[in-house]
Amino acid sequence: MTRVDFHFNVPDKLGYGCRLVRKICQAGHRTVVYCDDPERLARFDQALWTFAPLAFIPHTMAHDRLAARTPVVLTDRICDLPHHDVLVNLGSDTPEFFSRFDRLLEIVASDDEDRSLGRDRYRFYKDRGYPLTTHEAGQ
């Protein structure tokens, strides 16, 4: 069963996501980053290149021919994914394919709208019996 971790009250969702993905990669895990908003995903793609001057996180889009050999894959849609270790959700909805992964990391911003959507996703997982862990950003 997929283990679900919620990271709440994140002031900068994309920056936090970059640091989280870097930590996941440093631990040797392969990661898929999902976002239901293609524009936000494009900004995250750009942020991975610029968030830290000396950090390099190899990443590509899921449809790229190198996706299977790249540790971080980005996608904005349901598709055939090469990795099923860790899924990071930067979107506002519950990824339909999350149960294919060993672990799901939900990032919830501190604004009211994202917090409300995050609470809905939390209830969704809890009602279905998924093991949940919560983390407050900055703690």
Side-chain angles (χ1 to χ4, degrees):
M1 181 174 268
T2 304
R3 188 175 115 203
V4 183
D5 292 85
F6 271 84
H7 295 256
F8 285 108
N9 295 318
V10 174
D12 173 14
K13 200 168 186 171
L14 298 184
Y16 191 90
C18 287
R19 291 185 301 279
L20 195 58
V21 167
R22 176 178 58 190
K23 187 175 179 179
I24 295 165
C25 285
Q26 288 172 341
H29 299 288
R30 294 179 166 269
T31 309
V32 172
V33 177
Y34 169 76
C35 185
D36 54 352
D37 177 351
E39 290 178 19
R40 184 184 307 152
L41 188 64
R43 288 193 314 270
F44 183 72
D45 179 18
Q46 190 64 31
L48 283 174
W49 290 103
T50 60
F51 83 99
L54 299 177
F56 174 68
I57 300 172
H59 65 282
T60 191
M61 298 303 290
H63 60 270
D64 190 282
R65 63 182 178 82
L66 296 175
R69 298 190 329 227
T70 306
V72 178
V73 174
L74 312 178
T75 189
D76 61 358
R77 61 185 59 103
I78 299 170
C79 59
D80 189 27
L81 298 166
H83 314 311
H84 297 100
D85 192 6
V86 179
L87 174 64
V88 175
N89 184 17
L90 292 175
S92 57
D93 66 351
T94 301
E96 292 180 32
F97 52 88
F98 77 91
S99 62
R100 298 180 200 169
F101 290 81
D102 296 330
R103 190 170 181 196
L104 167 62
L105 304 176
E106 287 276 0
I107 300 175
V108 181
S110 55
D111 65 85
D112 289 339
E113 181 181 353
D114 205 51
R115 285 172 34 168
S116 177
L117 292 167
R119 286 184 193 114
D120 291 343
R121 293 192 308 274
Y122 187 91
R123 276 190 296 278
F124 174 87
Y125 302 121
K126 183 177 181 181
D127 291 348
R128 284 154 183 81
Y130 286 92
L132 298 167
T133 305
T134 60
H135 309 274
E136 284 289 326
Q139 290 187 359

